[in-house]
Each structure stands twice: as structure tokens, then as C-alpha cells.
Amino acid sequence: MKLFGAILEEELRANSQLKTLPAETVMMQSNSYIRSIPVVLSGSMRVMREDEDGREILLYYIKPGESCIMSFLAGIHEDTSKVKLVVEEDSEVLMLPIAKASEWIKVYPEWADFIFKLYHKRFEELLDVINAVAFQKLDDRIVTLLKRKASVYGSNEFSITHQQLAEELGTTREVVSRLLKQMEKQELITLSRNKITLNIPL
């Protein structure tokens, strides 16, 4: 996957380590120091926020051609990560040392533009999460999350457990299971073992 112009692309490949990662690999834990940032070539990742009790909520997904802006910000300020990064589906990732990621902001306008656009996109996604938690009913939040997953996977059918949905929404499996059954009765979704089919347009 070609992401940048020839010079920056060559620099990226020369200075990064290519990794192939299976789904559910924890790429980064909360409160860890950042040594490198991921640039996703294929697959996807999810960025989660954890509280002190281990409860989580999904913040956003990282798709091919994107990176984790929160990792970048923590890394350049020599701070610890405030999020957890998990591989959503099998992925190929370039791991770029944080020193290079920071240096290139001054050297390559193309890289600076990439970082600033990511920052803007993630800021809007975080506002969406805040609005959803504050103002949406949980069943509406489930529909929104399922649509986001369908977009990530490029399919209205994808594998996910009720427990994983609950974790990404910051609620309990029992509540999610009850609401999913109601949604199935309304023919909004079709449930099968560890799999959900979304029957509404994205």
C-alpha cells in the first residue's frame, strides 16, 4: 500500500519495522511509554480507553493508511499512553520510531499534513463518542457501533461476541444481549454464534 510520495515513502519503509499481527493482539497498554507508532497497511485496530477498574470504551478505529494520533502525541511529549491499542482484524503494520515521526513534522510537509489531518479526524470522532455517551440511548449506540464495524470490515456480517460489544460500549454483556435480542425481533439484525448481520443500510 503506497501512502506518500516517493521520497517519504522510501524513508518510511527504510526506517520502520514491518509486523504482521493477528486479531486481538494488544499493541499498546494504557500507561506504557511510546517507542514507535503504528502505520496500518492492511487490517484494522481499535483504540480503547480504560478506567481504573479495567472497564473499557471504544474511542475509534485505525484503518489502512492511518496511524494512532494519541500514540504520536504521547510519544513526542515523552508521556505515557492514555489509551489501549488492540488489533481488530489481522493486520500488517509499519512501526515507525517516535523520534523519526517527530523529526519528519519539520522536514516533510506531506507528513505534517498527514498528522494534522489525523488529529482533526480523531478529534471529531472523540466528540461523537462524548455525544453518544451523553445523549444517546444504549440501543442507538449499539446500532452506531455496528455500523462503524460494518464500515471497518467492509461487510454487513462480521464476527463479534456480546462480551466484546459490551466492553467497547462500556456496559455489561447482559444488557447488550437483551438489547440485541430486541433488535433481532425488530429485524434490524440477525444473530448467529459469535456473529452479527446488520440488516439496515450504513
Side-chain angles (χ1 to χ4, degrees):
M1 181 181 188
K2 186 174 171 57
L3 302 175
F4 305 105
I7 295 176
L8 182 53
E9 187 77 20
E10 184 177 345
E11 282 270 33
L12 178 63
R13 304 283 173 168
N15 288 279
S16 300
Q17 180 183 4
L18 178 62
K19 289 190 174 184
T20 301
L21 303 166
E24 298 307 313
T25 300
V26 178
M27 281 282 298
M28 181 176 65
Q29 294 280 8
S30 299
N31 300 315
S32 60
Y33 281 95
I34 310 299
R35 306 301 178 202
S36 57
I37 64 168
V39 179
V40 178
L41 300 181
S42 65
S44 60
M45 299 183 179
R46 62 182 184 269
V47 179
M48 312 288 292
R49 173 69 172 164
E50 288 183 301
D51 68 10
E52 293 179 354
D53 298 323
R55 292 177 300 183
E56 300 177 336
I57 189 168
L58 174 71
L59 299 182
Y60 54 82
Y61 291 103
I62 304 175
K63 300 178 183 178
E66 297 180 346
S67 184
C68 180
I69 191 65
M70 297 188 78
S71 302
F72 174 77
L73 293 173
I76 63 172
H77 291 107
E78 299 182 351
D79 197 3
T80 56
S81 171
K82 302 301 184 288
V83 296
K84 178 180 177 181
L85 184 58
V86 184
V87 179
E88 175 75 13
E89 52 185 334
D90 295 352
S91 300
E92 272 198 335
V93 182
L94 288 172
M95 299 302 298
L96 177 66
I98 193 65
K100 285 293 181 184
S102 179
E103 173 190 327
W104 289 354
I105 289 286
K106 302 173 184 176
V107 178
Y108 296 107
E110 186 181 7
W111 178 258
D113 186 57
F114 171 74
I115 293 295
F116 292 141
K117 282 181 177 177
L118 270 182
Y119 184 89
H120 178 72
K121 181 177 181 180
R122 298 315 179 204
F123 180 75
E124 290 188 334
E125 288 175 326
L126 290 176
L127 287 180
D128 288 341
V129 171
I130 293 169
N131 288 335
V133 172
F135 305 119
Q136 282 189 336
K137 295 187 298 182
L138 187 54
D139 51 353
D140 293 331
R141 289 176 58 203
I142 291 176
V143 170
T144 299
L145 178 55
L146 293 178
K147 286 183 176 181
R148 290 173 70 187
K149 282 194 172 290
S151 175
V152 167
Y153 284 96
S155 171
N156 276 32
E157 180 180 282
F158 42 86
S159 296
I160 189 168
T161 65
H162 294 191
Q163 180 63 39
Q164 185 179 335
L165 271 179
E167 289 172 355
E168 294 182 20
L169 290 163
T171 186
T172 65
R173 182 186 60 78
E174 291 77 13
V175 171
V176 166
S177 294
R178 174 171 54 80
L179 290 174
L180 287 175
K181 288 176 183 176
Q182 291 177 6
M183 292 168 62
E184 186 173 40
K185 288 180 181 178
Q186 297 168 348
E187 299 184 349
L188 299 175
I189 61 173
T190 302
L191 299 174
S192 53
R193 184 171 179 81
N194 294 340
K195 189 172 290 186
I196 295 176
T197 303
L198 192 59
N199 299 328
I200 53 179
L202 301 182

